[in-house]
């Protein structure tokens, strides 16, 4: 499989391994089992992570809803869960979305515009595994009803990358959904680009990259911030936060030095990034980071990172509510870190 592969971080932790053979390529899916420790050790007496929720199924993306609650995708079962950020109480917000069909994918991220939820669904249809479902953005019309507002899979089939690298899944692997100027930005970690999508379904390429594996997104004013996991073996120097504008032909490096970055978010006036952790030496592409090697890091003005909390177990997405950071893990959990952005 090529280095950018079906996104080296969008997988479940390794316990049971399933291999799907697609025209000679092998996609290694790591399926999650088990729980992790009840706390993550802080560096040098810093903030400590505590577990808030367990039992999520195929959890990947998250957002803060208009009611102040956490909303988390569960791709394995095609649903969005609402989580009280104080008590951890979990309820089903919407169900009936296309579930993951090859071990990863399905509902992968969620965002709100004008109190309406929109869900990014990926890897539910491709020439390698055709189906009647759509890879794209779905509007939540009710607890179990949805409308497809943008068919990203069809766009990708009609508009393959122009920068040369091997493409195995032509519909791509969309990873992050970010609201932007009344519409959305979407990262594609397999086709290595950021798409701009309007509410009437128009899809365009905002910026394209080589093999850098774009992941999480954040917007502040006219500036777009993006996390990069980097190519296998996801060396720390390739874990970057970059920035660009709506008309930028290239991205500017903001900071680097943390392995396998999967998200970037503002907490107050400070920018933070989420590292999934250390890639196992010699492992095939699409292997998750080693357990308990992830970290929440702060972006410094000199282009470096400062570790806020380490020992995190394969986190995938990051949110802030006030001074508290919340992150979702590949093991189906949500953790919180108090007092981060004071």
């Amino acid at each position: 499989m090529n280095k950018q592969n079906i996104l080296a971080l969008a997988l479940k932790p390794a316990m049971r391994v399933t291999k799907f053979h697609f025209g000679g390529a092998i996609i290694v899916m790591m399926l999650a089992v088990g729980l992790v420790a009840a706390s993550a050790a802080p560096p040098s007496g810093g903030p400590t992570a505590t577990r808030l929720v367990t039992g999520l199924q195929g959890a990947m993306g998250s957002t803060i809803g208009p009611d102040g609650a956490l909303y988390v995708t569960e791709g394995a079962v095609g649903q969005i869960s609402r989580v009280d950020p104080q008590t951890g109480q979990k309820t089903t917000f919407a169900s009936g979305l296309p579930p993951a069909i090859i071990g990863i994918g399905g509902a992968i991220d969620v965002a709100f515009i004008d109190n309406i939820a929109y869900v990014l669904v990926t890897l539910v249809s491709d020439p390698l595994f055709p189906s009647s479902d759509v890879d794209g953005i779905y509007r939540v019309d009710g607890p179990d009803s949805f409308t497809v507002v943008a068919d990203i899979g069809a766009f990708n089939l009609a508009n393959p990358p122009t920068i040369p690298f091997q493409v195995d899944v032509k519909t791509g692997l969309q990873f992050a959904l970010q609201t932007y100027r009344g519409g959305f930005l979407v990262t594609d970690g397999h086709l290595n680009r950021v798409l701009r999508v309007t509410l009437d379904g128009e899809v365009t390429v905002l910026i394209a990259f080589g093999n850098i594996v774009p992941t999480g997104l954040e917007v502040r004013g006219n500036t777009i911030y993006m996390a990069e996991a980097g190519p296998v073996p996801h060396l720390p120097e390739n874990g970057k936060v970059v920035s660009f504008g709506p008309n930028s032909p290239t991205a500017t490096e903001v900071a680097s030095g943390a392995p396998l970055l999967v998200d970037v978010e503002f907490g107050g006036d400070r920018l933070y990034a989420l590292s999934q952790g250390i890639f196992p030496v010699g492992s095939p592409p699409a292997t998750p980071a080693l357990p308990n090697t992830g970290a929440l890091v702060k972006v410094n003005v000199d282009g470096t990172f400062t570790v806020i909390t380490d020992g995190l177990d394969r986190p995938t997405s990051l949110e802030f509510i006030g001074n508290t950071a919340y992150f979702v893990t590949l093991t189906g959990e949500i953790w919180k870190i108090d007092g981060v952005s004071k």
Side-chain angles (χ1 to χ4, degrees):
M1 193 89 177
N2 64 310
K3 287 189 294 185
Q4 56 268 17
N5 195 349
I6 304 290
L7 195 59
L9 47 108
L11 306 174
K12 314 301 181 283
M15 284 297 288
R16 182 172 73 254
V17 178
T18 302
K19 293 183 179 180
F20 296 85
H21 296 258
F22 291 149
I26 301 176
I27 302 174
V28 183
M29 307 301 172
M30 309 299 185
L31 304 180
V33 297
L35 297 175
V36 299
S39 64
S44 305
T48 300
T50 55
R51 190 168 56 204
L52 184 69
V53 175
T54 64
L56 300 172
Q57 301 182 68
M60 286 296 298
S62 60
T63 194
I64 306 301
D67 59 351
L70 284 161
Y71 290 79
V72 183
T73 59
E74 295 190 66
V77 291
Q79 72 180 32
I80 307 298
S81 290
R82 179 191 182 277
V83 175
D84 186 303
Q86 299 301 319
T87 66
Q89 181 181 5
K90 181 174 75 76
T91 56
T92 299
F93 173 70
S95 61
L97 288 156
I101 62 174
I102 61 170
I104 60 173
I108 201 165
D109 205 1
V110 57
F112 284 84
I113 293 180
D114 296 331
N115 296 324
I116 299 172
Y118 295 83
V119 186
L120 182 64
V121 175
T122 190
L123 285 178
V124 297
S125 183
D126 188 81
L128 294 174
F129 42 93
S131 79
S132 59
D133 291 323
V134 172
D135 290 324
I137 298 175
Y138 291 59
R139 186 183 66 231
V140 178
D141 298 326
D144 56 3
S145 61
F146 310 90
T147 299
V148 175
V149 297
D151 189 335
I152 294 175
F155 174 84
N156 285 340
L157 288 173
N159 301 273
T162 57
I163 298 175
F165 49 78
Q166 182 180 337
V167 174
D168 296 295
V169 178
K170 295 182 179 179
T171 52
L173 172 51
Q174 296 77 56
F175 184 75
L177 181 68
Q178 173 69 44
T179 57
Y180 183 72
R181 297 186 174 183
F184 303 97
L185 301 175
V186 175
T187 53
D188 194 311
H190 184 53
L191 302 186
N192 290 301
R193 58 193 186 184
V194 177
L195 303 175
R196 187 170 180 180
V197 185
T198 67
L199 287 179
D200 60 6
E202 180 183 2
V203 183
T204 55
V205 176
L206 182 70
I207 188 169
F209 304 93
N211 180 27
I212 53 89
V213 189
T215 55
L217 290 167
E218 175 68 302
V219 172
R220 179 64 63 94
N222 290 321
T223 304
I224 302 160
Y225 296 88
M226 186 185 78
E228 297 180 6
V232 171
H234 308 298
L235 299 174
E237 57 264 34
N238 294 325
K240 301 177 181 180
V241 172
V242 300
S243 67
F244 50 91
N247 300 307
S248 300
T250 59
T252 300
E253 182 175 315
V254 176
S256 64
L260 226 170
L261 289 183
V262 295
D263 207 356
V264 58
E265 294 287 338
F266 272 99
D269 292 329
R270 301 304 301 266
L271 190 61
Y272 297 83
L274 191 63
S275 166
Q276 193 179 94
I278 299 170
F279 185 78
V281 176
S283 296
T287 302
L290 292 170
N292 305 312
T293 61
L296 174 65
V297 298
K298 180 175 64 177
V299 176
N300 299 318
V301 294
D302 63 357
T304 63
F305 293 119
T306 296
V307 174
I308 301 300
T309 307
D310 57 12
L312 310 185
D313 192 11
R314 293 156 289 187
T316 61
S317 65
L318 173 68
E319 306 295 338
F320 275 89
I321 300 177
N323 295 322
T324 302
Y326 295 83
F327 62 91
V328 179
T329 76
L330 290 177
T331 54
E333 301 181 339
I334 300 175
W335 293 63
K336 69 176 182 176
I337 309 173
D338 292 314
V340 173
S341 59
K342 290 182 179 179

